[in-house]
């Protein structure tokens, strides 16, 4: 048990001292997570609305595909992305392998199905009269979608939280396409794995605590946003 | 102005509306009456351009409406559903919604909202939210929200179903005031015949998704036995004697003008003689006669008599009455 207490003491010391490595890793993680969440939700939420509200041939298959993608193993996504981004791969010319952009792409691939599938479920939960009423009052497609989304905003905020949670806690793809390079692509999760393996339990714990605080702050921020809404 | 032509509309393969033609004129109030499930709400959704008919066409001023009607066309017609819903936000924000969509300036919008709020007595509700309103209040706000848009066609699905008599009266008076101020068409779906007679210029009946060839009162869905000639159809606790070759599930109608009204049974050739109690007397919209509603042992029938005859018979709500009609008067379709 001593090593645990020692670990916490070390973690607290690093956080209070403003250790540059800890905060550098935290900032990179935040940057990657925010960019990946914004991209996946910008694409995924409208996709979810489309799947929930439009009737078209193949809709059921599309929904099944999106739901299946929810269970994609992160290392497999990382592996496939590695194949695409490696020098011999079709996207090798981008030179993104072992960059933070590669981690963002991997995270987007993993968070997009979450954003699409859960937002489709959230929109399907909105009373269909809301959409009909918006339309009969003269709203165009965008205004109607906005009106429906407003009704589902608690659920949609939860979707964004889930997407952020997936991205911030992701390790498999980040490790494979990011390479865990110090000062460049080392995120909180890959760093925790590395320092634990190296036996630097205090640093790993400090980074783990930062990860928890990050997730907590984002969740609180979203709950505050939700709380502002009235019926 | 707004017309449905050759409509066969299906839900999951089942035909729910089958109309050769249905027209909403430029002005005036059309009432569509019928039982629950007769197809009234579906009809209104097609007229509101919210659904595309499975077969047939919707026409606006003679031109076919495309499958995805442009917003400019959709904004000329609006529907208040039977159980309307308000958006998140206050009553005022709900009233502003359609006007904002039309990019109306704040001053003009405030003027229009002020008008409808006064007409429907909504002043005290403006800052409330939907969970703070009763069903009747939601219905009034929804009608006000639609009225504020000043569309060419206003479609109302059972607009007074959650309202008490006073609120229903206020609602119909507001409609009348709006109609006096500008020409537009109103189409009301209702199962309340009394309202239809009181406020509509034209009444049409729907039964099982089809327009009834006879007036809308006294429509019943029955099961007729096989065979030719005189048959008995059970409607609730009463039996109707019918002359027809039809069998199986049909709709029967007794035209109110074919019913003899008396205080006591009269010796006659009428095979249907029903004794009951008067439940209401309604003077027709144009003042041509009186509709006598009577409860015949749990089944309501309506008979049409002249105002003079109603006076001579001293018909009053609660009083006994006898309705008589021949088997051949019962129409089957």
């Amino acid at each position: 048990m001593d090593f645990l207490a020692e670990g916490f003491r070390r973690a607290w010391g690093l956080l209070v001292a403003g250790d540059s490595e800890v905060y550098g890793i935290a900032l990179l993680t935040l940057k990657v997570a925010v960019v990946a969440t914004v991209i996946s939700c910008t694409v995924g939420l409208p996709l979810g609305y489309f799947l929930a509200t439009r009737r078209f041939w193949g809709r059921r298959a599309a929904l099944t595909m999106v739901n299946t993608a929810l269970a994609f193993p992160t290392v497999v996504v990382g592996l496939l992305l590695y194949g695409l981004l490696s020098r011999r791969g079709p996207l090798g010319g981008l030179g993104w392998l072992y960059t933070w952009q590669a981690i963002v792409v991997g995270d987007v691939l993993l968070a997009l199905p979450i954003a699409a599938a859960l937002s489709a479920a959230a929109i399907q939960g909105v009373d269909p009269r809301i959409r009909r009423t918006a339309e009969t009052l003269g709203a165009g497609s965008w205004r109607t979608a906005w009106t429906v989304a407003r009704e589902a905003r608690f659920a949609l905020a939860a979707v964004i939280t889930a997407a952020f949670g997936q991205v911030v806690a992701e390790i498999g793809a980040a490790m494979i396409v990011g390479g865990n390079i110090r000062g460049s692509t080392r995120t909180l999760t890959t760093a925790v794995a590395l320092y634990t393996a190296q036996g630097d339990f205090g640093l790993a714990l400090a980074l783990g605590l930062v990860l928890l605080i990050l997730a907590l702050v984002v969740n609180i921020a979203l709950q505050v946003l939700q709380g502002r809404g009235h019926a | 102005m707004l017309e449905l032509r050759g409509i066969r509309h299906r839900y999951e393969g089942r035909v729910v509306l089958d109309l050769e033609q249905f027209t909403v004129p430029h002005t005036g109030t059309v009432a569509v009456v019928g039982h629950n499930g007769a197809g009234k709400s579906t009809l209104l959704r097609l007229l509101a351009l919210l659904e595309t008919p499975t077969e047939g066409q919707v026409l606006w001023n003679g031109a076919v409406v495309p499958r995805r009607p442009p917003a400019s066309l959709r904004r000329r017609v609006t529907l208040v559903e039977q159980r309307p819903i308000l958006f998140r936000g206050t009553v005022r924000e709900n009233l502003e919604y359609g006007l904002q969509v039309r990019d109306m300036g704040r001053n003009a919008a405030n003027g229009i909202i002020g008008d409808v709020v006064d007409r429907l007595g909504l002043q005290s509700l403006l800052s409330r939210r939907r969970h703070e309103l009763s069903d009747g209040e939601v219905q009034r706000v929804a009608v006000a929200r639609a009225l504020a848009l000043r569309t060419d066609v206003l479609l109302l699905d059972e607009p007074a179903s959650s309202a008490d008599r006073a609120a229903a009266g206020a609602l119909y008076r507001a409609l009348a005031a709006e109609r006096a101020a500008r020409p537009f068409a109103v189409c009301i779906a209702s199962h309340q015949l009394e309202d239809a007679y009181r406020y509509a210029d034209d009444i049409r009946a729907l039964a099982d998704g089809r327009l009834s060839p006879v007036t809308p009162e006294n429509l019943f869905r029955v099961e007729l036995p096989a065979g030719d000639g005189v048959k008995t159809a059970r409607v609730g606790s009463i039996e109707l004697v019918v002359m027809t070759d039809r069998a199986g599930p049909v709709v029967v109608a007794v035209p109110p003008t074919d019913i003899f009204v008396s205080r006591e049974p009269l010796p006659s050739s009428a095979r249907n003689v029903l004794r009951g109690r008067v439940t209401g007397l309604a003077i027709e919209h144009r003042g041509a006669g009186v509709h006598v509603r009577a409860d015949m042992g749990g089944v309501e029938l309506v008979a049409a008599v002249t105002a003079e005859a109603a006076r001579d018979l001293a018909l009053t709500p609660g009083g006994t009455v006898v309705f008589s009609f021949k088997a051949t008067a019962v129409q089957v379709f």
Side-chain angles (χ1 to χ4, degrees), chain A residues 54 127 129-130 132-141 143-144 147 150-154 229-231, chain B residues 45 50 68 74-75 77-79 81 83-85 87-89 97-98 100-102 129-131 145 149:
Chain A
R54 294 281 188 271
D127 192 315
R129 289 175 298 167
I130 291 288
R132 284 204 301 268
T133 303
E135 285 176 352
T136 199
L137 292 175
S141 306
R143 181 69 189 245
T144 301
T147 306
R150 274 194 75 197
E151 297 290 327
R153 67 177 175 182
F154 292 161
H230 298 283
Chain B
R45 281 201 292 271
L50 290 174
R68 282 187 166 274
R74 280 197 292 109
R75 286 176 190 167
V77 48
T78 194
L79 165 70
E81 296 200 60
R83 284 178 52 246
I85 193 164
F87 299 133
R88 186 184 294 279
Y97 186 92
Q100 282 176 356
V101 160
R102 286 161 174 77
R129 293 172 184 277
R130 59 185 172 191
H131 65 271
R145 186 172 61 179
L149 304 180

Side-chain angles (χ1 to χ4, degrees), chain B residues 132-325:
Chain B
E132 298 169 316
L133 302 174
S134 68
D135 288 349
E137 287 169 336
V138 168
Q139 208 161 31
R140 268 159 63 206
V141 172
V143 171
R145 186 172 61 179
L147 262 181
L149 304 180
R150 298 186 170 166
T151 51
D152 295 329
V153 180
L154 175 62
L155 306 162
L156 303 168
D157 195 353
E158 304 278 4
S161 60
S162 300
D164 55 30
R165 289 313 299 170
L171 191 148
Y172 285 116
R173 277 195 300 280
L175 279 178
E178 186 70 17
R179 282 191 53 202
R182 67 183 183 93
F184 72 107
V186 182
C187 185
I188 302 175
S190 177
H191 67 270
Q192 289 165 318
L193 274 173
E194 195 179 326
D195 286 347
Y197 277 111
R198 196 167 287 172
Y199 303 107
D201 304 305
D202 183 7
I203 301 172
R204 300 170 202 175
L206 267 185
D208 286 350
R210 285 169 294 161
L211 274 177
S212 159
V214 292
T215 50
E217 310 82 353
N218 311 335
L219 284 173
F220 305 106
R221 202 177 289 127
V222 298
E223 187 82 23
L224 286 179
D228 301 336
V230 178
K231 299 173 181 179
T232 303
R234 175 156 286 281
V235 178
S237 61
I238 65 169
E239 287 187 336
L240 295 181
V241 182
V242 183
M243 179 89 111
T244 182
D245 296 340
R246 297 277 302 274
V250 295
V251 174
V252 295
V254 187
T257 47
D258 287 352
I259 298 177
F260 290 95
V261 179
S262 57
R263 299 296 296 265
E264 295 295 335
L266 303 169
S268 74
S269 61
R271 300 291 304 272
N272 294 286
V273 179
L274 302 163
R275 183 193 286 268
R277 290 199 174 276
V278 176
T279 54
L281 299 163
I283 298 167
E284 263 189 57
H285 178 54
R286 295 185 188 83
V290 173
H291 277 72
V292 184
R293 283 187 288 118
D295 177 16
M296 302 295 177
V299 177
E300 187 171 79
L301 282 176
V302 179
V305 296
T306 61
E308 198 179 11
R311 228 182 2 259
D312 289 350
L313 288 166
L315 296 172
T316 51
T320 55
V321 68
V322 175
F323 283 5
S324 313
F325 47 95

Side-chain angles (χ1 to χ4, degrees), chain A residues 32-196:
Chain A
V32 168
V34 168
V35 173
T37 305
V38 167
I39 294 173
S40 55
C41 288
T42 305
V43 178
L45 264 53
L47 180 63
Y49 179 83
F50 183 81
L51 289 172
T53 57
R54 294 281 188 271
R55 298 287 173 267
F56 57 91
W57 187 86
R59 173 176 174 269
R60 197 175 290 262
L63 272 170
T64 307
M65 234 171 74
V66 169
N67 285 325
T68 308
L70 284 174
F72 266 5
T74 62
V75 284
V76 175
V77 170
L79 204 59
L80 292 172
L81 193 58
Y82 180 88
L84 291 172
L85 293 175
S86 66
R87 200 170 293 171
R88 286 173 298 168
L91 301 177
L94 291 172
W96 277 8
L97 194 62
Y98 301 136
T99 63
W100 70 272
Q101 288 94 328
I103 305 176
V104 167
V105 174
D107 285 348
V108 166
L109 289 176
L110 290 165
L112 186 61
I114 292 177
L118 299 189
S119 61
I123 296 296
Q124 278 172 331
V126 174
D127 192 315
R129 289 175 298 167
I130 291 288
R131 186 162 159 241
R132 284 204 301 268
T133 303
E135 285 176 352
T136 199
L137 292 175
S141 306
W142 289 108
R143 181 69 189 245
T144 301
W146 177 247
T147 306
V148 173
R150 274 194 75 197
E151 297 290 327
R153 67 177 175 182
F154 292 161
L156 291 178
V159 172
I160 296 169
T161 310
F164 182 83
Q166 163 70 42
V167 165
V168 86
E170 198 282 317
I171 181 167
M175 189 77 93
I176 294 173
V177 296
N180 201 12
I181 301 166
R182 188 176 191 180
S184 170
T185 59
R186 186 162 294 171
T187 62
L188 285 167
T189 49
T190 58
V192 167
L194 177 73
Y195 294 132
T196 306

